[in-house]
């Protein structure tokens, strides 16, 4: 935690130059205010001076009667007059006194008989001008200002739940956009080992049926465990209806011997055409679960686009 509101060393030379461009569209103007170009320009520049801006010079294009430019110490203003439409477009750029942008807009609009309420504008950060008198002050106000990121009062800290599986499971079920109930297959550890997801799924009102696939008891050979678990699950799949499973859930206690089960489920034809798979990863030892989800994404679902979302 660092308090950034303290005194900082004042810069001695200007290494960057920033500016802010603002486009202003003044509409529904009083026609009486839109006289000849010279009159509008004079009125506007007088208003700018009265508002504290420092006008240096004015220019206009002798070939057109509706465009003029006013240069100030703080920046410049280009005005394009459209008398018939009661509309004036201003292009402004301030390379100093950035905080005066709103005041500048109000002065310009009111000088041509308009109202801020009928005016639209937008701003863009651009390059500026080196040598502005107020560059030190402008540097402090440019960009986001973090005054104090050390609050005096101790804020309540978010406490991460030890078990995120129920939250992830509920959120995944909510992603299913089907109307009515649907079937969920859950991959669990061997018989006798708790499988938390079964109870959570049965409590969810959107889940119509839960099909539980249990792994074989673990041995010292992962290969033998996979073969046993696949053979057991394959026999169980012969007893369920085809194209039944809409969601596959990998319980957080499921062993890696169930990793290849989705491919067998595809061969048995128990999936619907659009399958959602959910697994949680608690440590690096659970990375096989990501591979399981990817198998479903790439080899089980035949239609594109298919996506994998990862929430940390």
């Amino acid at each position: 935690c660092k308090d950034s509101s303290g005194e900082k060393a004042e810069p001695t030379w200007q290494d960057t130059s920033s500016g802010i461009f603002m486009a202003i569209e003044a509409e529904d103007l009083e026609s009486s205010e839109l006289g000849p170009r010279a009159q509008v320009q004079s009125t506007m520049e007088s208003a700018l001076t009265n508002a504290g801006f420092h006008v240096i010079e004015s220019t206009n294009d002798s070939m057109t009667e509706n465009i003029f430019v006013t240069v100030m110490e703080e920046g410049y203003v280009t005005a394009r007059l459209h008398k018939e439409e009661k509309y004036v477009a201003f292009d402004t750029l301030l390379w100093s006194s950035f905080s005066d942008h709103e005041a500048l807009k109000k002065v310009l609009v009111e000088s041509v008989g308009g109202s801020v309420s009928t005016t639209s504008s937008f701003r863009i950060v651009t390059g500026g001008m080196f040598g502005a008198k107020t560059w030190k002050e402008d540097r402090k106000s440019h960009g986001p200002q973090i005054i104090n990121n050390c609050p005096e009062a101790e804020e309540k800290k978010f406490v991460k739940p030890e078990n995120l599986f129920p939250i992830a499971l509920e959120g995944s079920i909510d992603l299913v956009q089907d109307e009515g109930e649907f079937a969920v297959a859950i991959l669990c550890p061997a018989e006798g080992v708790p499988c938390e997801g079964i109870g959570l799924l049965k409590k969810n009102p959107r889940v119509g049926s839960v099909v539980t696939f249990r792994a074989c008891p673990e041995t010292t050979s992962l290969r033998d465990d996979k073969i046993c678990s696949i053979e057991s699950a394959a026999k169980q799949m012969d007893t369920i209806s085809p194209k039944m499973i809409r969601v596959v859930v990998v319980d957080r206690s499921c062993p890696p011997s169930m990793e290849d089960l989705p491919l067998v489920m595809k061969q048995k034809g128990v999936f619907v055409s659009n399958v959602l798979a959910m697994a949680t990863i608690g440590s690096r030892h659970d990375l096989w679960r990501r591979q399981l989800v990817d198998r479903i994404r790439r080899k089980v679902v035949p239609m594109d686009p298919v996506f994998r979302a990862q929430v940390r």
Side-chain angles (χ1 to χ4, degrees), residues 188-194 212 214-217:
C188 292
E191 290 288 349
V193 180
T212 304
R214 288 279 185 176
C216 289

Side-chain angles (χ1 to χ4, degrees), residues 213 229-239 261 264 268:
F213 292 101
S229 298
I230 288 174
E231 289 178 349
S232 174
K235 293 178 182 179
Q236 184 180 352
M237 291 177 203
D238 292 334
T239 64
L261 199 61
V264 181
K268 292 291 185 178

Side-chain angles (χ1 to χ4, degrees), residues 59-187:
T59 62
N60 54 65
D61 187 350
S62 60
M63 300 298 293
T64 61
E65 286 296 326
N66 66 327
I67 300 177
F68 63 86
V69 179
T70 297
V71 181
M72 308 173 293
E73 289 184 1
E74 298 82 4
Y76 69 81
V77 177
T78 300
R80 295 187 297 277
L81 312 179
H82 300 273
K83 300 177 182 178
E84 294 77 9
E85 290 78 15
K86 299 180 181 180
Y87 166 85
V88 176
F90 296 102
D91 291 342
T92 69
L93 175 64
L94 291 185
W95 46 69
S96 69
S97 304
F98 301 137
S99 59
D100 293 335
H101 246 131
E102 289 301 318
L104 174 64
K105 178 170 71 172
K106 186 173 185 294
V107 168
L108 293 177
V109 172
E110 291 181 352
S111 70
V112 293
S115 170
V116 175
S117 61
T118 58
T119 299
S120 59
S121 63
F122 66 87
R123 284 182 265 196
I124 302 174
V125 177
T126 66
M129 181 77 71
F130 280 95
K133 295 179 180 179
T134 58
W135 70 269
K136 290 183 179 181
E137 291 73 19
D138 296 332
R139 185 186 183 114
K140 298 176 183 178
S141 62
H142 187 258
Q145 305 298 312
I146 302 175
I147 298 176
N148 188 358
N149 56 2
C150 299
E152 295 179 0
E154 184 178 354
E155 297 181 357
K156 294 183 179 179
K157 295 182 178 180
F158 172 75
V159 179
K160 181 180 179 180
E162 293 184 3
N163 181 13
L164 294 174
F165 180 76
I167 300 174
L169 180 58
E170 182 180 359
S172 299
I173 295 299
D174 289 341
L175 292 176
V176 180
Q177 299 179 3
D178 300 5
E179 295 183 2
E181 299 178 342
F182 48 86
V184 179
I186 182 167
L187 312 188

Side-chain angles (χ1 to χ4, degrees), residues 5-60:
S5 62
E7 293 295 329
K8 295 182 179 180
E10 187 175 85
T12 57
W13 62 287
Q14 186 178 6
D15 57 345
T16 60
S17 176
S18 301
I20 300 180
F21 170 86
M22 179 164 62
I24 305 170
E25 294 185 317
E27 304 177 81
D28 297 332
L29 306 179
E30 293 290 340
S31 58
S32 59
E33 301 290 340
L34 291 178
R37 179 184 63 186
Q39 176 184 335
V40 174
Q41 186 172 6
S42 176
T43 301
M44 187 194 78
E45 291 176 356
S46 296
L48 288 172
T49 301
N50 292 335
F53 293 95
H54 302 85
V55 177
I56 298 175
E57 63 176 328
S58 304
T59 62
N60 54 65

